[in-house]
Amino acid sequence: MSAATARITGVSVEFRVLGRIEVRARGTSVVLGSLKQRLLLATLLLNPGRTVPIRRLVRALWAEEPPMSAVANLRTYANRLRQVLPDGAQRLSGRQAGYELTLRPGELDLHLFTERADAGRAALSRCDHATAARHLGEALSACRGPVLEDLADCDALAASIAPVEELRLAVTEDHFDARLGLDEHRELITPLREFVAEHPLRERPRAHLVTALYRSGDLAGALAVYTDYRRVIADRLGLEPSPELVKLHQAVLDRDPGLTAAVTVRASSFPAPKELPAPCRSFAGRGPEVARLQALLAQDAPAVAVVHGPCGVGKSALALEVAHRVAPVFPDGQLYIDLRQATRVPHRLLRHLGVSDVPNAIDEAAALLRSRLADRAVLVVLDGATDPAPLRDLLPATGPCALLITSRAPLLLDGAEHLLLGPLSDVDGLELLTRLAPRAASEPAAAAQIVQCCHGIPLALHIAGAILAHRPTRPLARLARRLAPAWRRLAELSFG
């Protein structure tokens, strides 16, 4: 799924309600048509496998003012949906009382979300914070935004959206809870402040923020969060904070030692490594590829994903983008090695995991590495692999760890899933160029010609963007003309 995903394996059709409504078939977005058709589909997706009465569908589409032809129009919209949905004729059934949409297991992101959320909450109830953080992070990776955010203005859907949106927010708070249990208070301060700003009346994240600030040594900040919340709910609701929050406030004032105690179930006291380089700020497109990789990595079993393709196609950028998105699913650490500059990979990974006494022999180091990774949620990113032999013995036989590899060619690794990365589409290439050189938006024709001359290769587009950014007075049309002859493009696309 897009910004974040849940585990989707062996499913070629995806129905999404956690964010904008969307249907994807084999990695391609389905054009759903008019607002009325999307409202109809949304209502059916919130009631999968159940017949939704016609009167309820009419109300969802036209609120309290349906036209005389509402039922006939409803049939028209249903027929159009059958035409655009994969296997629409079999999925969307019309009955005398209403309509019913049939989904197969794993096709609806909401089902995957609740499955992972339930597992995370069960682990949280056992105080198994590492497992809870992994499952809850996996659930939240399926959320691309508020539930049906593009249809949120529909009053008839509000009653159906509200409980799902409340579940999403509650799971987010559970995830904060689990990560606080793993002593990640400093990392949580910024996301907690953002969450509190979006939802100022929710008390639980305020308590989380008070705790995170106090544990980080910011006593004044922790007290200010409580004072601000007390003012907000007094002004808006005429209420006082709950006894639990009042008790937490008093504990902060008393500097209660219990506030600094975090119960963890980490296998080691060594802090979880977080070695991922910064993601590419101009990353664009690659929605299907990101979704597939997220699905492959977010599993409860060792996973190996290999991204391969020609030089300059954006393999490293894609790997880092996905690695950052799935990082919450791997609370025990994210390791990164550039294989073009590294040797003796098992030894380096062991040292990164805090092992001081590393055996010299390669096979012994690999065996120890498998032992250290077993039953730990660790993501290992290996960039620029050329030889599969040193990589074959890195992953343990069990556990939730994952290996994400980039290579110019496919690698012969048992159980690995391969993703061939091709050029960007013209649309995504134009988006990338515009991010690199915003003035491209004012010269669309020349920008489109530059994108075509770069053949969708991100490296070439980055070079073109750098040329434009460092020569702001020259029009895009000049670069487009210079790139037009194929024989001179390589010479033109050089910078620095």
Short mmCIF file of all heavy atoms in Angstrom, two decimals, residues 12-17 20-32 37-38 41-42 45 81 84-87 91 101 103 107-109 144 150:
data_model
loop_
_atom_site.label_atom_id
_atom_site.label_comp_id
_atom_site.label_asym_id
_atom_site.label_seq_id
_atom_site.Cartn_x
_atom_site.Cartn_y
_atom_site.Cartn_z
N SER A 12 -3.94 -10.25 -5.91
CA SER A 12 -3.74 -9.42 -7.09
C SER A 12 -4.66 -8.22 -7.12
O SER A 12 -4.48 -7.32 -7.93
CB SER A 12 -3.93 -10.25 -8.36
OG SER A 12 -5.24 -10.80 -8.39
N VAL A 13 -5.72 -8.20 -6.26
CA VAL A 13 -6.65 -7.08 -6.19
C VAL A 13 -6.66 -6.54 -4.78
O VAL A 13 -6.72 -7.30 -3.81
CB VAL A 13 -8.08 -7.51 -6.60
CG1 VAL A 13 -9.02 -6.32 -6.57
CG2 VAL A 13 -8.07 -8.15 -7.97
N GLU A 14 -6.55 -5.22 -4.66
CA GLU A 14 -6.52 -4.58 -3.35
C GLU A 14 -7.62 -3.52 -3.28
O GLU A 14 -7.69 -2.64 -4.15
CB GLU A 14 -5.17 -3.92 -3.10
CG GLU A 14 -3.99 -4.86 -3.19
CD GLU A 14 -2.68 -4.12 -3.33
OE1 GLU A 14 -2.59 -2.98 -2.82
OE2 GLU A 14 -1.76 -4.66 -3.98
N PHE A 15 -8.45 -3.60 -2.26
CA PHE A 15 -9.48 -2.59 -2.00
C PHE A 15 -9.03 -1.81 -0.77
O PHE A 15 -8.74 -2.38 0.27
CB PHE A 15 -10.83 -3.25 -1.74
CG PHE A 15 -11.43 -3.92 -2.94
CD1 PHE A 15 -11.09 -5.22 -3.27
CD2 PHE A 15 -12.34 -3.25 -3.75
CE1 PHE A 15 -11.64 -5.86 -4.39
CE2 PHE A 15 -12.89 -3.86 -4.87
CZ PHE A 15 -12.54 -5.17 -5.19
N ARG A 16 -8.97 -0.49 -0.90
CA ARG A 16 -8.40 0.34 0.15
C ARG A 16 -9.41 1.39 0.64
O ARG A 16 -9.96 2.13 -0.17
CB ARG A 16 -7.14 1.04 -0.35
CG ARG A 16 -6.08 0.09 -0.89
CD ARG A 16 -4.92 0.87 -1.46
NE ARG A 16 -3.85 0.01 -1.93
CZ ARG A 16 -2.71 0.44 -2.46
NH1 ARG A 16 -2.52 1.74 -2.58
NH2 ARG A 16 -1.79 -0.40 -2.85
N VAL A 17 -9.59 1.43 1.94
CA VAL A 17 -10.43 2.46 2.56
C VAL A 17 -9.66 3.24 3.61
O VAL A 17 -10.16 4.24 4.13
CB VAL A 17 -11.69 1.85 3.19
CG1 VAL A 17 -12.57 1.22 2.13
CG2 VAL A 17 -11.35 0.84 4.28
N ARG A 20 -7.66 7.58 1.03
CA ARG A 20 -8.58 7.77 -0.08
C ARG A 20 -9.05 6.42 -0.59
O ARG A 20 -8.30 5.45 -0.60
CB ARG A 20 -7.90 8.54 -1.22
CG ARG A 20 -7.44 9.95 -0.84
CD ARG A 20 -6.69 10.61 -1.98
NE ARG A 20 -7.54 10.77 -3.15
CZ ARG A 20 -8.37 11.80 -3.34
NH1 ARG A 20 -8.45 12.75 -2.44
NH2 ARG A 20 -9.10 11.87 -4.43
N ILE A 21 -10.30 6.35 -1.02
CA ILE A 21 -10.80 5.08 -1.55
C ILE A 21 -10.04 4.75 -2.83
O ILE A 21 -9.81 5.60 -3.69
CB ILE A 21 -12.32 5.14 -1.80
CG1 ILE A 21 -12.84 3.74 -2.18
CG2 ILE A 21 -12.68 6.17 -2.85
CD1 ILE A 21 -14.35 3.66 -2.22
N GLU A 22 -9.63 3.50 -2.93
CA GLU A 22 -8.82 3.10 -4.07
C GLU A 22 -8.96 1.60 -4.30
O GLU A 22 -9.12 0.83 -3.35
CB GLU A 22 -7.34 3.45 -3.82
CG GLU A 22 -6.44 3.22 -5.03
CD GLU A 22 -5.00 3.60 -4.74
OE1 GLU A 22 -4.66 3.81 -3.56
OE2 GLU A 22 -4.22 3.68 -5.70
N VAL A 23 -8.90 1.22 -5.56
CA VAL A 23 -8.86 -0.19 -5.94
C VAL A 23 -7.66 -0.36 -6.86
O VAL A 23 -7.48 0.41 -7.81
CB VAL A 23 -10.14 -0.64 -6.66
CG1 VAL A 23 -10.04 -2.10 -7.08
CG2 VAL A 23 -11.36 -0.43 -5.77
N ARG A 24 -6.84 -1.36 -6.56
CA ARG A 24 -5.68 -1.64 -7.39
C ARG A 24 -5.75 -3.07 -7.87
O ARG A 24 -6.05 -3.98 -7.10
CB ARG A 24 -4.36 -1.41 -6.63
CG ARG A 24 -4.17 0.04 -6.20
CD ARG A 24 -2.78 0.26 -5.64
NE ARG A 24 -1.77 0.15 -6.67
CZ ARG A 24 -1.39 1.14 -7.46
NH1 ARG A 24 -1.96 2.33 -7.35
NH2 ARG A 24 -0.45 0.96 -8.36
N ALA A 25 -5.48 -3.27 -9.15
CA ALA A 25 -5.48 -4.60 -9.75
C ALA A 25 -4.12 -4.82 -10.39
O ALA A 25 -3.73 -4.08 -11.30
CB ALA A 25 -6.59 -4.74 -10.78
N ARG A 26 -3.38 -5.80 -9.85
CA ARG A 26 -2.04 -6.13 -10.35
C ARG A 26 -1.14 -4.91 -10.41
O ARG A 26 -0.43 -4.66 -11.38
CB ARG A 26 -2.13 -6.81 -11.72
CG ARG A 26 -2.97 -8.09 -11.72
CD ARG A 26 -2.90 -8.83 -13.02
NE ARG A 26 -3.78 -10.00 -13.01
CZ ARG A 26 -3.47 -11.16 -12.45
NH1 ARG A 26 -2.30 -11.30 -11.85
NH2 ARG A 26 -4.32 -12.18 -12.46
N GLY A 27 -1.21 -4.11 -9.34
CA GLY A 27 -0.33 -2.96 -9.21
C GLY A 27 -0.79 -1.71 -9.92
O GLY A 27 -0.12 -0.68 -9.83
N THR A 28 -1.92 -1.74 -10.61
CA THR A 28 -2.42 -0.58 -11.35
C THR A 28 -3.71 -0.08 -10.72
O THR A 28 -4.60 -0.87 -10.39
CB THR A 28 -2.69 -0.94 -12.82
OG1 THR A 28 -1.47 -1.43 -13.40
CG2 THR A 28 -3.16 0.28 -13.60
N SER A 29 -3.82 1.23 -10.55
CA SER A 29 -5.01 1.82 -9.95
C SER A 29 -6.19 1.76 -10.91
O SER A 29 -6.05 2.06 -12.10
CB SER A 29 -4.73 3.27 -9.56
OG SER A 29 -5.83 3.81 -8.87
N VAL A 30 -7.34 1.35 -10.39
CA VAL A 30 -8.57 1.25 -11.19
C VAL A 30 -9.29 2.60 -11.15
O VAL A 30 -9.47 3.19 -10.08
CB VAL A 30 -9.49 0.15 -10.64
CG1 VAL A 30 -10.83 0.14 -11.38
CG2 VAL A 30 -8.80 -1.21 -10.74
N VAL A 31 -9.70 3.11 -12.31
CA VAL A 31 -10.46 4.36 -12.38
C VAL A 31 -11.90 4.05 -11.97
O VAL A 31 -12.62 3.34 -12.68
CB VAL A 31 -10.41 4.96 -13.80
CG1 VAL A 31 -11.24 6.24 -13.85
CG2 VAL A 31 -8.97 5.24 -14.21
N LEU A 32 -12.31 4.59 -10.83
CA LEU A 32 -13.61 4.23 -10.27
C LEU A 32 -14.76 5.08 -10.78
O LEU A 32 -15.92 4.74 -10.56
CB LEU A 32 -13.56 4.33 -8.74
CG LEU A 32 -12.54 3.39 -8.07
CD1 LEU A 32 -12.49 3.66 -6.58
CD2 LEU A 32 -12.93 1.94 -8.34
N GLN A 37 -20.34 6.91 -7.82
CA GLN A 37 -19.85 5.52 -7.89
C GLN A 37 -18.90 5.23 -6.75
O GLN A 37 -18.91 4.14 -6.17
CB GLN A 37 -19.18 5.27 -9.24
CG GLN A 37 -20.17 5.16 -10.38
CD GLN A 37 -19.51 5.06 -11.74
OE1 GLN A 37 -20.04 5.56 -12.72
NE2 GLN A 37 -18.39 4.41 -11.82
N ARG A 38 -18.06 6.20 -6.40
CA ARG A 38 -17.13 6.00 -5.28
C ARG A 38 -17.88 5.92 -3.95
O ARG A 38 -17.51 5.15 -3.07
CB ARG A 38 -16.08 7.12 -5.26
CG ARG A 38 -15.07 6.97 -6.40
CD ARG A 38 -13.96 7.99 -6.32
NE ARG A 38 -14.41 9.31 -6.74
CZ ARG A 38 -14.32 10.40 -6.00
NH1 ARG A 38 -13.79 10.36 -4.80
NH2 ARG A 38 -14.77 11.55 -6.45
N LEU A 41 -19.37 2.42 -3.81
CA LEU A 41 -18.36 1.42 -3.50
C LEU A 41 -17.93 1.53 -2.04
O LEU A 41 -17.74 0.50 -1.36
CB LEU A 41 -17.16 1.59 -4.43
CG LEU A 41 -15.99 0.62 -4.19
CD1 LEU A 41 -16.44 -0.83 -4.37
CD2 LEU A 41 -14.83 0.94 -5.12
N ALA A 42 -17.75 2.75 -1.54
CA ALA A 42 -17.33 2.92 -0.15
C ALA A 42 -18.34 2.33 0.82
O ALA A 42 -17.98 1.66 1.79
CB ALA A 42 -17.13 4.41 0.15
N LEU A 45 -17.94 -1.39 0.71
CA LEU A 45 -16.70 -1.85 1.32
C LEU A 45 -16.75 -1.79 2.84
O LEU A 45 -16.07 -2.57 3.52
CB LEU A 45 -15.52 -1.02 0.81
CG LEU A 45 -15.06 -1.30 -0.61
CD1 LEU A 45 -13.99 -0.31 -1.05
CD2 LEU A 45 -14.53 -2.73 -0.74
N LEU A 81 -19.88 0.16 -11.96
CA LEU A 81 -18.87 -0.41 -11.08
C LEU A 81 -18.53 -1.84 -11.50
O LEU A 81 -17.37 -2.26 -11.46
CB LEU A 81 -19.36 -0.40 -9.63
CG LEU A 81 -19.17 0.90 -8.84
CD1 LEU A 81 -19.71 0.75 -7.44
CD2 LEU A 81 -17.70 1.30 -8.80
N VAL A 84 -15.90 -1.76 -14.20
CA VAL A 84 -14.53 -1.31 -13.93
C VAL A 84 -13.83 -2.16 -12.87
O VAL A 84 -12.60 -2.24 -12.87
CB VAL A 84 -14.51 0.17 -13.50
CG1 VAL A 84 -15.07 1.04 -14.61
CG2 VAL A 84 -15.27 0.40 -12.20
N LEU A 85 -14.59 -2.81 -11.98
CA LEU A 85 -13.97 -3.62 -10.93
C LEU A 85 -13.49 -4.96 -11.50
O LEU A 85 -14.16 -5.55 -12.35
CB LEU A 85 -14.95 -3.87 -9.79
CG LEU A 85 -15.37 -2.67 -8.95
CD1 LEU A 85 -16.37 -3.11 -7.89
CD2 LEU A 85 -14.16 -2.02 -8.30
N PRO A 86 -12.36 -5.46 -11.04
CA PRO A 86 -11.93 -6.80 -11.45
C PRO A 86 -12.98 -7.84 -11.04
O PRO A 86 -13.41 -7.86 -9.89
CB PRO A 86 -10.63 -7.00 -10.67
CG PRO A 86 -10.15 -5.62 -10.34
CD PRO A 86 -11.39 -4.81 -10.15
N ASP A 87 -13.40 -8.67 -11.98
CA ASP A 87 -14.45 -9.66 -11.73
C ASP A 87 -15.71 -9.01 -11.18
O ASP A 87 -16.39 -9.56 -10.31
CB ASP A 87 -13.97 -10.74 -10.75
CG ASP A 87 -12.74 -11.46 -11.25
OD1 ASP A 87 -12.65 -11.69 -12.47
OD2 ASP A 87 -11.86 -11.79 -10.44
N ARG A 91 -18.48 -10.10 -8.34
CA ARG A 91 -18.31 -9.50 -7.02
C ARG A 91 -19.55 -8.73 -6.55
O ARG A 91 -19.93 -8.80 -5.39
CB ARG A 91 -17.13 -8.51 -7.03
CG ARG A 91 -15.78 -9.17 -7.15
CD ARG A 91 -14.69 -8.10 -7.12
NE ARG A 91 -13.37 -8.67 -7.28
CZ ARG A 91 -12.64 -9.16 -6.28
NH1 ARG A 91 -13.13 -9.15 -5.06
NH2 ARG A 91 -11.44 -9.65 -6.50
N LEU A 101 -21.32 -6.73 -1.94
CA LEU A 101 -20.00 -6.83 -2.54
C LEU A 101 -19.24 -7.98 -1.88
O LEU A 101 -19.11 -8.03 -0.66
CB LEU A 101 -19.21 -5.53 -2.36
CG LEU A 101 -17.83 -5.48 -3.02
CD1 LEU A 101 -17.95 -5.52 -4.53
CD2 LEU A 101 -17.08 -4.22 -2.58
N LEU A 103 -15.79 -10.00 -1.23
CA LEU A 103 -14.34 -9.85 -1.23
C LEU A 103 -13.69 -11.17 -0.85
O LEU A 103 -14.25 -11.94 -0.07
CB LEU A 103 -13.91 -8.77 -0.24
CG LEU A 103 -14.43 -7.35 -0.48
CD1 LEU A 103 -13.91 -6.41 0.60
CD2 LEU A 103 -14.02 -6.86 -1.85
N GLU A 107 -8.03 -9.10 0.57
CA GLU A 107 -8.18 -8.05 -0.46
C GLU A 107 -8.50 -6.67 0.12
O GLU A 107 -8.21 -5.67 -0.52
CB GLU A 107 -9.29 -8.45 -1.45
CG GLU A 107 -8.90 -9.59 -2.38
CD GLU A 107 -9.95 -9.85 -3.43
OE1 GLU A 107 -11.12 -9.54 -3.19
OE2 GLU A 107 -9.59 -10.39 -4.50
N LEU A 108 -9.09 -6.61 1.31
CA LEU A 108 -9.48 -5.33 1.91
C LEU A 108 -8.44 -4.92 2.95
O LEU A 108 -8.16 -5.68 3.89
CB LEU A 108 -10.87 -5.44 2.54
CG LEU A 108 -11.41 -4.17 3.19
CD1 LEU A 108 -11.55 -3.04 2.17
CD2 LEU A 108 -12.76 -4.44 3.87
N ASP A 109 -7.88 -3.72 2.81
CA ASP A 109 -6.84 -3.28 3.74
C ASP A 109 -7.36 -3.19 5.17
O ASP A 109 -6.61 -3.40 6.12
CB ASP A 109 -6.25 -1.94 3.29
CG ASP A 109 -7.27 -0.82 3.22
OD1 ASP A 109 -8.48 -1.07 3.43
OD2 ASP A 109 -6.85 0.31 2.95
N ARG A 144 -3.00 5.07 4.86
CA ARG A 144 -2.47 6.15 4.05
C ARG A 144 -3.05 7.50 4.46
O ARG A 144 -2.76 8.52 3.85
CB ARG A 144 -2.78 5.89 2.57
CG ARG A 144 -2.14 4.63 2.01
CD ARG A 144 -2.80 4.17 0.72
NE ARG A 144 -4.16 3.72 0.94
CZ ARG A 144 -5.23 4.28 0.40
NH1 ARG A 144 -5.11 5.29 -0.43
NH2 ARG A 144 -6.44 3.82 0.67
N ASP A 150 -11.26 11.18 1.27
CA ASP A 150 -11.81 11.94 0.15
C ASP A 150 -13.33 11.96 0.16
O ASP A 150 -13.95 12.70 -0.62
CB ASP A 150 -11.30 11.39 -1.18
CG ASP A 150 -11.55 9.89 -1.33
OD1 ASP A 150 -11.59 9.20 -0.30
OD2 ASP A 150 -11.70 9.42 -2.47
#
